[in-house]
């Protein structure tokens, strides 16, 4: 036997073909193997025969010369010895609830100057009424983060909404305060601003550059796509208003940016929107699927064939740009295969409710921005309430190891068990992943691996 009795091949090995490449992922080690035809056949036959070498060799020898089959088997044995194939799962027990808070989403504006059709936040106020965060609440939130972060030195704060630039005075005050307060404690806060762009101007652009804010710029693609999805409050389109502002800001080279769009059931040809954004000169692009319970916009199982085919089309587009000398990225294909996420990240995804919290304009704490206002997820207030440890333990216990379905999924280490909010809002429980989201994620992982292998082959001259 080439591996221990009872080895779960379906959970620990994934083989697939993408165009010209035969690919094998060893899930536990993270090793990726490029296989020739006989190697792919042999790995798959070994999996079908529970690692029985003689049975697999007998099957392969019917299709290939025995000497070639033996050589391929020797290569596989060597990979097994190096723990790069048929490797065993790691011991993933750890006290996740003991980790400190290291990131906050500050909803500085429950107010918006757009009326996006798919908005999960009820056009900006999260169903809680319009409000702007006072400086004092934001200051208390930053103090809370510094106190709750323990030994973590590098912290994150994302200004979110609604539209945070409707509260730009407080945003500026909080960046200044956060820089000073963090420095006094030997820490550093990196700030991110998510904006629809309508209020960007020269003064705000200078502030973004001077303070080295990362920016997430909301734009959905082609004019007809963007204007339908993201109208102004009076119903007119916003594309012509935001595009020149985004181009001006990106042209100034902020420390980091990406264009963040959404595709929904009526815009499943999102690769065309990606091409449009790339042709405008944007190099960092993310197009997120609309998910949740609303059947008008949220993707359904019946949409999957078209969506998965569109991801394949997107891979072809990215390779087309590479051949033309442009390295245009797609957020969900960026897997960082050389280093990869730490164990906690692999197990828990974004860390909502434990390492990451959202703060409303009143200072109320929730696990993340998508769960703001959801019954049963209020976790306290930055002013005077202790963090609700019961809810925190509930979120901490919703990690991948407690999701049986996830532990048998080959893409688990690129996922962390799925988005807590998406799971809860679509399935009614934190412990059941959304199958539509899972199918899309597995396709994106396959695409990301393929693109990295193509890049490696290109750089090596193959």
């Amino acid at each position: 036997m080439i591996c221990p009795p009872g080895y779960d091949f379906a959970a620990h090995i994934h083989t697939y073909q993408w165009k010209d490449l035969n690919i094998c992922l060893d899930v536990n080690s993270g090793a990726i193997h490029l296989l020739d035809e006989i190697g792919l056949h042999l790995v798959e036959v070994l999996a079908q025969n529970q690692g029985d070498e003689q049975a697999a060799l007998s099957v392969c020898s019917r299709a290939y010369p025995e000497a070639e089959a033996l050589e391929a088997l020797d290569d596989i044995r060597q990979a097994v010895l190096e723990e790069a194939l048929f490797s065993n799962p790691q011991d993933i027990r750890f006290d996740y609830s003991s980790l400190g808070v290291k990131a906050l989403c500050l909803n500085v504006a429950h107010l918006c100057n757009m009326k996006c059709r798919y908005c999960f936040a009820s056009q900006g106020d999260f169903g809680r009424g319009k409000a702007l965060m006072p400086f004092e609440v934001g200051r208390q939130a930053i103090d809370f983060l510094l106190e709750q972060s323990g030994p973590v030195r590098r912290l994150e704060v994302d200004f979110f909404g609604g539209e945070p630039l409707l509260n730009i005075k407080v945003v500026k005050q909080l960046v200044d305060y956060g820089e000073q307060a963090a420095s006094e404690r030997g820490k550093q806060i990196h700030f991110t601003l998510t904006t629809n762009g309508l209020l960007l101007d020269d003064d705000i652009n200078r502030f973004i550059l001077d303070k080295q804010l990362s920016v997430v710029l909301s734009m959905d693609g082609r004019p007809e796509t963007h204007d339908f999805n993201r109208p102004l409050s009076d119903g007119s389109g916003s594309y012509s208003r935001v595009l020149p502002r985004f181009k001006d800001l990106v042209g100034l080279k902020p420390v980091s940016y990406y264009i963040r769009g959404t595709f929904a059931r009526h815009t499943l040809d999102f690769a065309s929107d990606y091409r449009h954004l790339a042709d405008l000169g944007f190099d960092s692009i993310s197009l997120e699927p609309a998910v949740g319970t609303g059947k008008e916009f949220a993707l359904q199982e019946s949409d999957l064939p078209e969506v998965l085919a569109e991801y394949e089309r997107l891979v072809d587009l990215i390779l087309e740009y590479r051949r033309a000398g442009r390295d245009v990225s797609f957020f969900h294909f960026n897997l960082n295969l050389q280093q990869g996420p730490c164990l906690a990240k692999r197990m828990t995804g974004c860390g909502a409710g434990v390492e990451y919290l959202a703060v409303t304009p009143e200072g109320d704490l929730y696990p993340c921005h998508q769960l703001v206002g959801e019954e049963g997820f209020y976790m306290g207030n930055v002013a005077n309430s202790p963090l609700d440890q019961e809810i925190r333990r509930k979120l901490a216990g919703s990690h991948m190891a407690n999701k049986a379905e996830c532990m048998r999924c080959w893409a688990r280490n690129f996922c962390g068990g799925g988005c807590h909010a998406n799971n809860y809002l679509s399935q009614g429980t934190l412990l059941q992943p959304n199958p539509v989201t899972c199918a899309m994620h597995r396709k994106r992982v396959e695409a990301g691996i393929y693109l990295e292998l193509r890049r490696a082959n290109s750089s090596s001259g193959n």
Side-chain angles (χ1 to χ4, degrees):
M1 299 290 288
I2 203 165
C3 51
Y7 190 80
D8 192 340
F9 288 89
H12 303 321
I13 296 291
H14 179 60
T15 58
Y16 67 103
Q17 295 174 281
W18 194 303
K19 293 189 181 297
D20 54 326
L21 300 185
N22 301 320
I23 301 167
C24 174
L25 169 68
D26 184 74
V27 175
N28 297 314
S29 70
I32 296 167
H33 305 273
L34 263 180
L35 304 175
D36 57 17
E37 184 180 320
I38 187 172
L40 177 65
H41 190 171
L42 189 52
V43 168
E44 291 177 342
V45 173
L46 280 166
Q48 293 162 10
N49 288 273
Q50 285 301 302
D52 188 323
E53 296 179 48
Q54 292 307 313
L57 193 58
S58 175
V59 172
C60 281
S61 294
R62 297 177 204 147
Y64 304 95
E66 184 175 359
E68 293 182 16
L70 283 168
E71 184 180 357
L73 183 59
D74 284 341
D75 291 340
I76 289 172
R77 286 174 178 151
Q78 183 60 38
V80 172
L81 286 173
E82 295 170 356
E83 298 183 343
L85 190 61
F86 303 142
S87 64
N88 290 311
Q90 290 178 282
D91 183 352
I92 54 177
R93 291 171 295 178
F94 68 102
D95 183 7
Y96 181 49
S97 64
S98 66
L99 298 178
V101 179
K102 65 179 184 181
L104 291 181
C105 176
L106 292 189
N107 284 12
V108 293
H110 277 189
L111 183 67
C112 195
N113 47 6
M114 281 191 184
K115 201 169 184 178
C116 301
R117 297 177 189 272
Y118 49 61
C119 181
F120 72 89
S122 302
Q123 273 69 54
D125 68 5
F126 290 79
R128 297 165 58 92
K130 294 177 172 58
L132 296 176
M133 179 180 286
F135 168 73
E136 180 61 19
V137 171
R139 182 192 65 76
Q140 291 169 337
I142 289 174
D143 289 345
F144 170 87
L145 174 63
L146 293 169
E147 291 165 6
Q148 296 288 325
S149 57
V152 179
R153 295 171 56 85
R154 295 183 180 276
L155 308 174
E156 303 276 341
V157 169
D158 181 15
F159 295 110
F160 200 71
E163 173 48 50
L165 292 185
L166 290 168
N167 202 7
I168 183 60
K169 178 180 177 181
V170 168
V171 168
K172 290 180 176 181
Q173 291 174 327
L174 290 175
V175 170
D176 287 340
Y177 176 78
E179 286 180 335
Q180 180 178 345
S183 177
E184 290 172 355
R185 299 191 183 211
K187 297 176 183 275
Q188 181 178 7
I189 300 176
H190 179 74
F191 294 94
T192 299
L193 174 75
T194 298
T195 177
N196 64 30
L198 284 174
L199 297 177
L200 287 173
D201 58 22
D202 290 343
D203 178 67
I204 294 174
N205 288 350
R206 281 194 298 272
F207 163 71
I208 289 170
L209 266 63
D210 290 346
K211 297 297 184 178
Q212 295 189 308
L213 269 66
S214 295
V215 286
V216 180
L217 310 174
S218 299
M219 190 170 191
D220 284 0
R222 294 162 292 177
E224 58 270 26
T225 301
H226 183 91
D227 283 343
F228 179 81
N229 286 345
R230 305 181 60 80
L232 301 173
S233 297
D234 64 5
S236 61
S238 60
Y239 178 93
S240 62
R241 295 274 299 276
V242 302
L243 176 60
R245 290 172 167 82
F246 286 163
K247 293 189 80 168
D248 285 348
L249 176 56
V250 171
L252 295 171
K253 299 188 184 305
V255 63
S256 75
Y257 84 93
Y258 68 87
I259 300 291
R260 196 274 190 206
T262 298
F263 66 90
R265 301 200 72 193
H266 60 284
T267 53
L268 295 181
D269 59 337
F270 57 89
S272 296
D273 290 303
Y274 180 92
R275 180 188 285 277
H276 178 79
L277 293 168
D279 287 347
L280 288 171
F282 300 121
D283 292 330
S284 300
I285 302 169
S286 173
L287 293 174
E288 309 277 347
V291 296
T293 56
K295 291 191 175 181
E296 182 181 359
F297 293 100
L299 301 184
Q300 308 296 313
E301 188 173 359
S302 59
D303 300 318
L304 282 175
E306 189 170 350
V307 171
L308 301 187
E310 201 69 5
Y311 280 126
E312 293 185 11
R313 184 176 167 223
L314 187 52
V315 168
D316 291 340
L317 269 179
I318 290 172
L319 292 174
E320 178 185 322
Y321 284 114
R322 284 186 188 175
R323 289 191 293 270
R326 282 191 65 196
D327 192 10
V328 183
S329 73
F330 179 67
F331 182 80
H332 288 296
F333 291 168
N334 299 335
L335 301 181
N336 191 12
L337 297 177
Q338 297 303 314
Q339 184 174 358
C342 65
L343 177 60
K345 188 75 172 175
R346 293 202 307 270
M347 292 299 300
T348 61
C350 70
V354 181
E355 297 181 284
Y356 168 82
L357 298 168
V359 187
T360 70
E362 301 79 24
D364 292 338
L365 290 158
Y366 287 88
C368 76
H369 59 287
Q370 293 192 68
L371 290 173
V372 166
E374 286 292 324
E375 186 177 352
F377 289 98
Y378 171 75
M379 298 183 69
N381 188 282
V382 296
N384 49 29
S385 299
L387 198 59
D388 190 312
Q389 293 302 316
E390 182 178 350
I391 297 176
R392 197 164 191 261
R393 283 190 292 269
K394 180 180 177 181
L395 272 295
S398 300
H399 56 71
M400 188 171 68
N402 286 335
K403 300 172 183 175
E405 187 175 340
C406 293
M407 290 306 292
R408 297 205 70 243
C409 174
W410 64 264
R412 60 185 178 272
N413 288 335
F414 296 97
C415 170
C419 168
H420 289 321
N422 184 13
N423 293 349
Y424 179 78
L425 296 173
S426 66
Q427 308 302 112
T429 173
L430 293 167
L431 296 175
Q432 180 65 45
N434 182 338
V436 174
T437 302
C438 292
M440 290 188 288
H441 183 69
R442 285 191 289 266
K443 190 69 172 182
R444 293 192 296 253
V445 172
E446 288 186 338
I449 290 172
Y450 173 76
L451 284 168
E452 282 300 301
L453 290 173
R454 285 292 303 268
R455 184 192 297 278
N457 282 354
S458 174
S459 63
S460 65
N462 293 331

